[in-house]
Amino acid sequence: MSTIIRVLEANHGDCILVSHEEASGTVNILIDGGTSKTFKYGPRQRSDGALCKVLDELKNKGQHIDLAVLTHIDDDHIHGLIKAFETPDYLNKLVKSIWFNSSRLITQHFNVPEIPENNILLADDSPQTSVQQGKDLEALLDEIGCKRAPLIKARQVHSVGPFKLTVLSPSQNQLERLLHKWPSEEESGATSAHDNDYQLSLEEIWAADEFESDTSIYNGSSIAFLLEIDKTKMLFLGDAHDQVVVESLRDLGFNEQNKLDLNLVKVSHHGSQYNTSSEFLSLLRSSRYIISTNGSRHGLPNKRTIARIIKETNGQICFNYNNVMESLLLDSEREEYAFRLEALDEEVRF
């Protein structure tokens, strides 16, 4: 038996496949779908992206996606999934169930009328906005009859085959903040530092590091969860707000003296300084902190996040794009700290 994690190259987004293999078969969980290019790219979309290749592998093995998790409605998490649902014989045939906190589920949960401004469907030639993509995916799910989970929120515990999933985010308050017209993609990135901070030394960051929390409504609605199987424990945080995750972990009994032991953490929001605090890191003990991005957007990952992980933990910081770590350290820092940064293998096996 083995558990395999594949953090796919999803451009500046997230797309992760977690698989558990045993004699009776394989259970697969797909977390987000990255940008549209994660599925298909190039002239006339003729080139297969990382997600398309992985799904072809599953099809050839006769496997399914037992659960697809759409953490939230940002383009770099949802659009690859949309393309894989739109293309015949991919997710419309492979997915058994999905977690997706859509506008419809949220308004039903709070017993309020659905919000018409959030019902815009994405046409092929329309400007891409995350809100439109979210509604487009829901229409696709209705068409294919995919099994829908109820609204996903913190403190729920779910089972998928041998996996146990403990939801850490979003909170009730985070979902309630979506009961209005959803902001544009431009607004959702307001708490990303668009210029990188790589010119700063680690010592400069440590000397004057104050955590400022993400205020993005989109990111605040992100699904984050603790995934457990046998003795393996992993955190998948989407773009979740740091404080919501911290509160959930403390509610579960974890603190600075009773740390949560983990095999890996998928760091929130591609390593944004607004989503990973020293307080959060002080609650964990993990051998790997994984950052998913090609470094092309919003100056991510922030060096402040790297500095916090180096200072507060003993774990390795792993990247699914090798080029990202090349410029994170100053020349004078490489001898002492370069060993803490490493390229992520195509597969991580437990």
Side-chain angles (χ1 to χ4, degrees), residues 18 34 48 63 73 78 81 125 140 163 169 180 206 209 217 247 262-263 292 294 298 301 304 310 313 344 347:
V18 181
D48 294 341
Q63 297 179 14
I73 55 175
I78 188 175
L81 284 178
D125 57 353
L140 286 169
F163 289 105
S169 169
H180 56 76
W206 291 329
D209 186 27
I217 292 175
E247 290 174 4
L262 295 159
N263 299 88
S292 175
N294 62 2
H298 308 311
R304 288 186 183 277
I310 289 175
T313 83
L344 191 66
E347 294 183 352

Side-chain angles (χ1 to χ4, degrees), residues 28-313:
N28 296 297
I29 299 176
L30 178 64
I31 307 167
D32 288 325
T35 66
S36 61
K37 292 180 180 179
T38 309
F39 185 68
K40 293 276 190 178
Y41 66 95
R44 300 186 181 180
Q45 305 290 292
R46 287 180 175 173
S47 298
D48 294 341
L51 175 58
C52 185
K53 291 176 181 177
V54 161
L55 295 179
D56 280 335
E57 288 179 23
L58 298 186
K59 288 165 62 177
N60 291 336
K61 295 176 180 177
Q63 297 179 14
H64 293 85
I65 299 293
D66 295 271
L67 173 66
V69 179
L70 172 55
T71 61
H72 63 303
I73 55 175
D74 274 352
D75 170 79
D76 56 340
H77 293 254
I78 188 175
H79 207 197
L81 284 178
I82 289 175
K83 293 300 180 184
F85 269 109
E86 289 175 337
T87 305
D89 298 324
Y90 279 91
L91 288 186
N92 62 333
K93 295 288 181 68
L94 291 174
V95 171
K96 292 184 176 181
S97 63
I98 191 166
W99 287 4
F100 171 36
N101 285 345
S102 66
S103 178
R104 180 191 302 171
L105 283 180
I106 294 167
T107 51
Q108 287 176 350
H109 175 77
F110 288 100
N111 197 27
V112 299
E114 189 163 356
I115 300 163
E117 290 87 348
N118 293 346
N119 294 347
I120 303 169
L121 297 180
L122 176 68
D124 289 344
D125 57 353
S126 293
Q128 293 176 359
T129 71
S130 294
V131 172
Q132 292 173 324
Q133 289 159 355
K135 296 306 297 182
D136 188 51
L137 178 58
E138 182 153 60
L140 286 169
L141 295 173
D142 287 343
E143 290 173 11
I144 65 173
C146 182
K147 181 182 177 183
R148 298 292 300 276
L151 196 70
I152 301 298
K153 58 181 181 176
R155 294 163 183 66
Q156 294 175 345
V157 179
H158 300 263
S159 296
V160 179
F163 289 105
K164 175 184 176 183
L165 298 86
T166 303
V167 183
L168 307 176
S169 169
S171 67
Q172 181 92 346
N173 290 340
Q174 305 301 120
L175 291 169
E176 203 164 10
R177 291 179 67 193
L178 291 179
L179 291 176
H180 56 76
K181 183 179 178 181
W182 290 346
S184 67
E185 172 71 9
E186 288 72 22
E187 292 171 17
S188 76
T191 54
S192 294
H194 292 266
D195 296 322
N196 74 50
D197 53 358
Y198 302 164
Q199 78 284 358
L200 297 174
S201 70
L202 292 171
E203 294 292 342
E204 287 174 314
I205 293 172
W206 291 329
D209 186 27
E210 294 185 7
F211 179 69
E212 180 183 348
S213 183
D214 188 351
T215 58
S216 162
I217 292 175
Y218 276 168
N219 294 343
S221 70
S222 187
I223 295 171
F225 57 95
L226 170 64
L227 184 65
E228 301 176 74
I229 182 163
D230 299 327
K231 295 181 180 180
T232 301
K233 297 182 180 182
M234 302 167 280
L235 280 186
F236 294 98
L237 299 177
D239 287 358
H241 283 183
D242 175 276
Q243 196 55 43
V244 174
V245 176
V246 167
E247 290 174 4
S248 291
L249 291 175
R250 290 194 183 278
D251 285 347
L252 290 171
F254 300 107
N255 53 48
E256 290 80 357
Q257 289 73 45
N258 181 36
K259 297 178 186 286
L260 172 60
D261 287 310
L262 295 159
N263 299 88
L264 68 79
V265 177
K266 201 295 294 182
V267 175
S268 179
H269 198 194
H270 321 292
S272 169
Q273 67 190 40
Y274 302 107
N275 298 76
T276 300
S277 69
S278 295
E279 179 188 8
F280 164 71
L281 294 168
S282 74
L283 306 180
L284 314 177
R285 187 185 292 111
S286 179
S287 56
R288 293 182 181 88
Y289 296 83
I290 295 174
I291 294 176
S292 175
T293 183
N294 62 2
S296 66
R297 294 286 183 92
H298 308 311
L300 299 177
N302 294 133
K303 188 168 182 176
R304 288 186 183 277
T305 303
I306 306 304
R308 290 168 188 158
I309 298 173
I310 289 175
K311 182 179 180 181
E312 300 292 340
T313 83

